[in-house]
Amino acid sequence: VRSFSEAASIPVATVLRAMMGMGIMANINAELAFETAELIATELDLQLMLKETETLEDELISDIEEQEDDPDSLVTRPPIVTFLGHVDHGKTSLLDYLIGINVVSGEAGGITQHIRAYEIDKDGRSVTFVDTPGHEAFTEMRARGANVTDIAVLVIAADDGIMPQTEEAISHAKAAGVPIVVALNKIDLEGVDANRVLSQLTEHQLTPSEWGGEVEVVRTSAISGEGMDELLETLLTIAELNEYKANPDRKALGVCLEAEQQGDRGVLAKLVVQNGTLSVGDVVVCGPTYGRVRAMTNTLTGKPVEHAGPSTPINLMGLESPPGAGDRFHVLSDITQAREIAANRADAESRSSLSGVTTKVSFENFQEM
Ligand code: GDP
Ligand code: MG
């Protein structure tokens, strides 16, 4: 260990720490097998490299993120609305009704498997809706720094009231700091007691506006369509008050909601553009992958789209491999640079998972001692 430390000009303590990280307890006089020395060298080298690449890339991307938009360049963008709530309370049905299709009946076991995102037009004003399999997806995306939601619609079935997942959804929406609108759903069912749910809401510091509070409660039915116009109007009013803006003239950035490899056809990624405009031919880096936008389609109609502006959900073809849900994407001018950043991130990811394993091993070894 001593000779290795001298030869590599690395302090003995650093060598010992690296060995410990690999699950090897040793001291300065220990004999090192050549293979072990090689491993330690790799381990130390990797740690140094990791630091360098991360900072270079972080700088470039944070420059893009922090690029200020000239106030004159800002235009109103549609609000991005996410449905949250207890399973079976009607999130998917409400979205189905709004877009006039029926996904619920085709779902395996009635459970939403995919994140859906659609832009809906109402008298020339748009709303982008996101329906997730559960609020895990919402939380996961927030954990990755992808706050994709402007307004949360808390869906509560009137016959069931506030349930455990409703409570979780409330805390997620509060943590995200977004306005909450309640869809008091299944209002068509016989004998439902809306007042019971209103008082439950009050107990959760979500006092309905009809009771003098701040929260709009819209009575809805995804079956009869009752309240659907009112829900849309309420969302558009909140959007107007909050003046959500973006700059369509800058290079696009946003979030990947979901992606999959579609056999030979390549990778299909569902993205939401948050700022700027994404165009066919653009170079994109998204999490640990990259590519040139080969084609984009409207998530609702499937029709080809050349340009996607702020708040637009889009299906995109052209990435090398599927990014993860919640990975942010950025448009760069140079494909070589995009490839490098993606490769660095992929490296860093596999390294951190590797070092995760070694840390665990060493911890167990440590306990055994
Ligand atoms: P999700 O798990 O929140 O997405 O809930 P779904 O949209 O899958 O709905 C669960 C069940 O409730 C389905 O059988 C729907 O048909 C039914 N449902 C949804 N909305 C309503 C409604 O407004 N009224 C009634 N009567 N049933 C509804
Ligand atoms: Mg659903």
Side-chain angles (χ1 to χ4, degrees):
V1 170
R2 192 201 306 276
S3 346
F4 177 81
S5 142
E6 281 166 9
S9 347
I10 295 168
V12 172
T14 311
V15 178
L16 290 177
R17 207 176 317 120
M19 292 177 71
M20 209 151 87
M22 294 161 62
I24 308 166
M25 308 304 282
N27 62 45
I28 187 165
N29 296 316
E31 286 265 343
L32 272 188
F34 183 76
E35 291 76 25
T36 318
E38 220 171 25
L39 278 175
I40 299 169
T42 319
E43 178 81 15
L44 290 171
D45 224 355
L46 288 182
Q47 286 166 1
L48 295 174
M49 260 168 55
L50 187 67
K51 263 195 200 143
E52 278 166 26
T53 51
E54 261 184 0
T55 42
L56 268 180
E57 163 213 311
D58 285 354
E59 258 172 47
L60 181 75
I61 298 298
S62 64
D63 277 357
I64 297 176
E65 288 271 350
E66 281 159 20
Q67 179 197 324
E68 293 261 349
D69 292 309
D70 178 354
D72 291 340
S73 66
L74 294 176
V75 300
T76 302
R77 63 170 179 83
I80 303 178
V81 176
T82 301
F83 285 105
L84 296 175
H86 197 74
V87 67
D88 275 352
H89 279 198
K91 301 178 290 294
T92 302
S93 305
L94 287 171
L95 187 52
D96 275 3
Y97 188 93
L98 286 168
I99 58 180
I101 62 167
N102 187 344
V103 165
V104 169
S105 59
E107 286 183 343
I111 307 285
T112 305
Q113 310 289 341
H114 292 284
I115 299 185
R116 299 191 297 157
Y118 306 112
E119 188 172 346
I120 292 166
D121 189 82
K122 162 103 168 124
D123 315 324
R125 298 165 303 167
S126 307
V127 180
T128 294
F129 283 98
V130 178
D131 175 33
T132 65
H135 48 245
E136 290 77 14
F138 180 82
T139 325
E140 164 82 11
M141 278 193 250
R142 283 200 56 239
R144 289 178 178 227
N147 233 345
V148 80
T149 304
D150 297 312
I151 307 170
V153 173
L154 185 65
V155 180
I156 306 176
D159 58 333
D160 231 9
I162 291 188
M163 298 296 280
Q165 285 173 42
T166 320
E167 287 181 335
E168 286 173 34
I170 292 171
S171 50
H172 293 316
K174 283 186 176 167
V178 295
I180 299 174
V181 173
V182 173
L184 187 46
N185 196 38
K186 306 200 185 182
I187 206 72
D188 58 287
L189 292 177
E190 294 261 334
V192 293
D193 181 3
N195 280 339
R196 184 178 74 99
V197 183
L198 296 189
S199 68
Q200 287 180 338
L201 283 167
T202 308
E203 285 162 25
H204 287 81
Q205 283 73 51
L206 292 174
T207 311
S209 58
E210 60 203 271
W211 286 10
E214 304 266 286
V215 179
E216 293 301 329
V217 178
V218 184
R219 289 156 176 75
T220 60
S221 167
I223 304 293
S224 73
E226 181 184 339
M228 299 310 268
D229 265 345
E230 195 190 335
L231 180 61
L232 273 178
E233 280 306 326
T234 305
L235 294 169
L236 286 164
T237 306
I238 293 177
E240 269 161 38
L241 288 173
N242 284 280
E243 300 187 316
Y244 303 117
K245 301 252 161 128
N247 172 10
D249 296 328
R250 68 185 275 171
K251 288 188 178 121
L253 54 99
V255 174
C256 170
L257 297 176
E258 189 172 79
E260 63 178 17
Q261 178 77 42
Q262 294 205 316
D264 304 340
R265 290 172 52 211
V267 173
L268 177 70
K270 199 173 292 172
L271 310 178
V272 175
V273 179
Q274 289 178 298
N275 203 356
T277 297
L278 185 62
S279 300
V280 171
D282 277 350
V283 169
V284 173
V285 61
C286 184
T289 188
Y290 77 103
R292 193 181 285 281
V293 181
R294 197 165 75 230
M296 294 192 289
T297 55
N298 181 289
T299 53
L300 189 52
T301 62
K303 289 200 179 120
V305 175
E306 285 286 316
H307 308 281
S311 297
T312 311
I314 202 84
N315 290 322
L316 179 144
M317 303 288 291
L319 294 174
E320 289 291 307
S321 59
D327 278 340
R328 298 193 58 74
F329 78 82
H330 298 90
V331 167
L332 302 176
S333 21
D334 182 8
I335 190 116
T336 316
Q337 196 172 39
R339 187 186 300 122
E340 265 167 31
I341 291 177
N344 284 344
R345 285 174 176 174
D347 263 15
E349 266 183 23
S350 66
R351 247 180 253 147
S352 69
S353 61
L354 274 181
S355 68
V357 172
T358 33
T359 315
K360 196 163 152 234
V361 170
S362 71
F363 183 62
E364 280 162 4
N365 287 358
F366 190 71
Q367 282 184 317
E368 276 166 20
M369 291 187 64

